[in-house]
Each structure stands twice: as structure tokens, then as C-alpha cells.
Amino acid sequence: MARDYYGILGVAAGASDQEIKRAYRKKARELHPDVNPDAEDEFKEVTTAYEVLTDPEKRRIVDAGGDPLAGPGGGGFGGDPFGAGGLGDIFQTFFGGGGGGFGGGRGPRGRVRPGEPALVGVTLDLEEIAAGARKEITVDTAVLCDTCTGSGTRDNSKPVTCATCHGAGEIQAVQRSFLGQVMTVRECPECRGVGETIPDPCLKCGGDGRVRSRRSMTVKIPAGVQDGMRVRLSGQGEVGPGGGPAGDLYVEVSEAADDVFVRDRDDLHCTVRVPMVDAALGTEITVDTVLGGTATVAVEPGTQPGTVVRVRGQGLPHLNSGIRGDLHAHLEVVVPKKVDQRQTELLESLRDAGEDTVELVTASSTAAAGGGLFSKLRNAFAGR
Ligand SMILES: [Zn+2]
Ligand SMILES: [Zn+2]
């Protein structure tokens, strides 16, 4: 059930940040454990309500009728609100955590932590995408220090408890504020929150347990990948502090533009210029494909400009199934710009032999011929 955070602070649901802050300060003064040791639970409660209502994301959940602290890891009134990490920030701002009888502090955070993922890019041309490729990549990441194997210590020396924070990883200080004296807590600068220091650090990594390294490796990119896809190499990313487990390496694929083919998922498109006579008489055109072979594009006799011939199975393989897409050849019929004397005579006799005439296009004549241009034009101008 959602808790009434507004009610706990005694403000209306639409209260401004200022009103919430004012209400909280007033209650905190009355309930602060330094002032009123019996009111500890109530103090925690108003502090939690304040923390929720000043966090825009949490407040949004409250206003939607939910409870941002409900569910696993959410902390709450019954448990230890400091353990969930939610109250650390506010206590740093207002009271500091870990002081007196309220709050358990955060404690040292451990020297060995998991590493971050890393990202590199590779560029493949269509031939490589069609066949799949092995690409050499150079990766620059943190790797385990081989001198200390991640311990960060020199020879077999041992880390010692931090003298500054005595192993807590944080330092408490008393400060004056509007509430009187309050405790503040900050990360220990000596051990950076770890709670221990290495008096005799490894000479190679300086105690971090990892060093930066540039290395080359070969990555296998499967056939059919698309621009922007990533191949994940588990555990090949950044090694963590203290030699912690490495994150993953992601290899992002970029597709180089091709001179001939335009890709549409697994299909390829190309443009073929066909001389007028070949379009009229029909012919076969051989096209070099991205798969290393050739494809035959059949131009039927009487082919019109703009005809698209589909050649099945001459596209790219599908990433998962390997089934190949199609090649679409867009035919452009080319009329000769210059003709010599002999060609002129031939064309003239062709004109005399044929029955074709110049014709003004009508709606009915284009409908009979498949319909396109007339209605296209009409639609284009109708939009003006
Ligand atoms: Zn080392
Ligand atoms: Zn320390």
C-alpha cells in the first residue's frame, strides 16, 4: 500500500518544494534525535517522506498513486533506510549519515569492483556483410596487472587498515547548521572509500591492480549484419578496480556505402542502363554480385523505362536464417543522344515500318496501359 508521504510532512499534495522544505525543517527540529531521543522512528519517517517528495522521479510515482520505496530494495520505514542507499544523499546534505543512534553508515565499499563495458567500431563493405568477415580490431582497455595479478601489492605485502578512517571508508565530522550540531560524512580521501590502503604498492600498476593495454584481436562478424548492430565479446571490456571482473566488449558494425548497390534489409537494388534497342528487342545483362558470382538480369522484349526486374536469391543472407534476399534491377532505357547518317536511316525506316504514333495521353489510354503516369500527375498537381 502506498504511504501518505504528504500527510507525514503535514503538507498538501500540491505543495511546492519550498513548502515541503519548510515543513520538513520544522518537524526535523522537533524530532531530531539530538533533541528528542524518543522520536527516532518518527524522525526517520519524516526524513524519508522529505527525501521522496524532493526527488522529482519519486514524487512523480507518489502523485501517480504509487510508492517509490515499495518493493525489493526500496527500504522503507520498517527496515534500515540507510541500507538501501536512498537516504545517504540527504543525510550528507542535512545531517550527515551514520551519526549517533540513527543510521548505520555505508561502510567501506570494497577494493575489487566489476569493470565497465567497452565499445569499438568496425566498418564492413557489402561483400564482407554478404559473406561474414573476420576483422582485426585494436582495443585499448584496462587489463589485469600481471605483476601483482590484481592484488595491487608489491611482492607479497598486504594491504593495511586505513589509518585515516580506521577501515570505515568514510570520515565523520561535526558541523554547525540550523539544527545545531550535526554529523557530516564524506568519503575517506586517503583510501577513497575502500577502508584499506596499500603501503607497498605494485610498481607496475601503482596499487590499482590493472593497467591500460592496447591489443589486437580478431572478431568474427556474422553474415547479414546491419549497420549499428553490435557483437558482444563477453569479458573483453575494462577490467575493474582491484583487478575486478572485466566488463564486456561491444563491437559495433558500420556499413560502408557501396558504389553499385543500395541495401534494403536483405534486398539489394541497382540501376541498369539499357539501350533503347535492347529494351525493344530484349536482352540478358550480367551483373557482378556482392556474393562474388554473377546474376543474370533478363530484359524482356518491349521493356519500358522504370521496369524493375527481380532476381531471386541474389541479395544478402538473412542474419539468422541465412536465406538470401533478392536483387532488384531498376532498368533505365537510354535513347541515343547522337545518331550518325546510317543510324538515322535505320531509325527512319523503323518509324516507317511501325504503327506507333505520337499520342496525347488520356485517362482511359493510361488505364489500359497500366494506369500510372496520368493519375500520378493528376495527384501531384491536385496537391497544389
Ligand atoms: Zn600490479
Ligand atoms: Zn580511509
Side-chain angles (χ1 to χ4, degrees):
M1 206 192 81
R3 279 166 286 232
D4 180 13
Y5 293 103
Y6 291 106
I8 291 165
L9 283 179
V11 296
S16 70
D17 286 356
Q18 271 304 321
E19 286 165 339
I20 289 168
K21 199 165 183 175
R22 217 176 295 131
Y24 173 60
R25 288 185 172 186
K26 185 166 175 292
K27 282 200 178 290
R29 273 195 208 96
E30 295 164 16
L31 301 170
H32 194 273
D34 290 352
V35 183
N36 190 350
D38 296 333
E40 190 181 318
D41 289 346
E42 215 180 328
F43 177 71
K44 281 183 183 173
E45 213 174 59
V46 297
T47 303
T48 302
Y50 175 79
E51 190 267 343
V52 166
L53 294 180
T54 50
D55 179 327
E57 184 55 25
K58 292 198 174 98
R59 186 170 181 182
R60 194 185 59 73
I61 294 168
V62 172
D63 290 341
D67 186 343
L69 300 186
F77 298 140
D80 173 14
F82 300 92
L87 288 178
D89 294 342
I90 164 120
F91 267 71
Q92 250 168 327
T93 316
F94 276 95
F95 309 107
F102 63 103
R106 285 157 303 175
R109 57 180 153 98
R111 205 173 65 81
V112 179
R113 274 170 284 142
E116 301 282 322
L119 177 68
V120 292
V122 287
T123 301
L124 272 72
D125 58 30
L126 271 184
E127 283 79 5
E128 291 172 314
I129 287 172
R134 290 178 175 278
K135 297 292 279 187
E136 183 92 347
I137 55 171
T138 302
V139 193
D140 189 340
T141 65
V143 298
L144 194 70
C145 173
D146 56 4
T147 303
C148 64
T149 59
S151 73
T153 58
R154 187 179 176 188
D155 301 327
N156 280 320
S157 72
K158 292 272 176 281
V160 296
T161 303
C162 175
T164 306
C165 65
H166 308 292
E170 55 192 24
I171 292 176
Q172 301 175 355
V174 177
Q175 281 188 348
R176 300 197 63 80
S177 82
F178 65 91
L179 291 167
Q181 287 197 340
V182 293
M183 301 287 280
T184 58
V185 172
R186 62 196 168 93
E187 184 185 88
C188 172
E190 180 67 23
C191 63
R192 283 177 300 174
V194 171
E196 57 183 32
T197 56
I198 297 172
D200 192 12
C202 167
L203 293 178
K204 188 173 181 188
C205 66
D208 196 28
R210 54 181 182 164
V211 290
R212 291 215 73 80
S213 164
R214 216 177 149 77
R215 62 196 193 278
S216 292
M217 60 170 81
T218 303
V219 54
K220 189 172 178 291
I221 310 287
V225 288
Q226 297 195 30
D227 196 67
M229 281 184 173
R230 291 177 176 185
V231 175
R232 185 169 69 103
L233 300 179
S234 179
Q236 298 285 350
E238 306 276 351
V239 162
D248 295 334
L249 173 67
Y250 292 90
V251 181
E252 185 168 307
V253 173
S254 297
E255 182 183 313
D258 192 82
D259 261 1
V260 173
F261 298 102
V262 175
R263 180 180 186 179
D264 176 24
R265 288 177 289 261
D266 300 332
D267 284 358
L268 294 174
H269 295 257
C270 65
T271 302
V272 181
R273 293 216 169 97
V274 184
M276 178 186 79
V277 176
D278 286 323
L281 299 177
T283 187
E284 282 189 347
I285 299 162
T286 301
V287 176
D288 289 334
T289 71
V290 294
L291 295 148
T294 55
T296 302
V297 177
V299 178
E300 297 295 322
T303 287
Q304 301 299 308
T307 299
V308 180
V309 179
R310 178 161 71 166
V311 188
R312 287 188 186 276
Q314 292 292 351
L316 296 170
H318 186 267
L319 178 62
N320 298 316
S321 68
I323 296 170
R324 296 210 304 231
D326 300 332
L327 172 65
H328 303 261
H330 298 245
L331 305 185
E332 272 182 15
V333 175
V334 181
V335 177
K337 285 182 181 159
K338 278 184 188 166
V339 284
D340 60 21
Q341 183 60 36
R342 192 175 121 76
Q343 287 166 326
T344 304
E345 284 164 14
L346 287 169
L347 287 170
E348 275 170 353
S349 55
L350 180 66
R351 177 162 65 190
D352 295 341
E355 283 158 19
D356 290 342
T357 52
V358 174
E359 181 191 358
L360 186 61
V361 172
T362 62
S364 52
S365 68
T366 50
L373 188 60
F374 192 86
S375 53
K376 259 189 229 162
L377 283 174
R378 204 153 51 180
N379 289 343
F381 295 133
R384 291 195 176 173

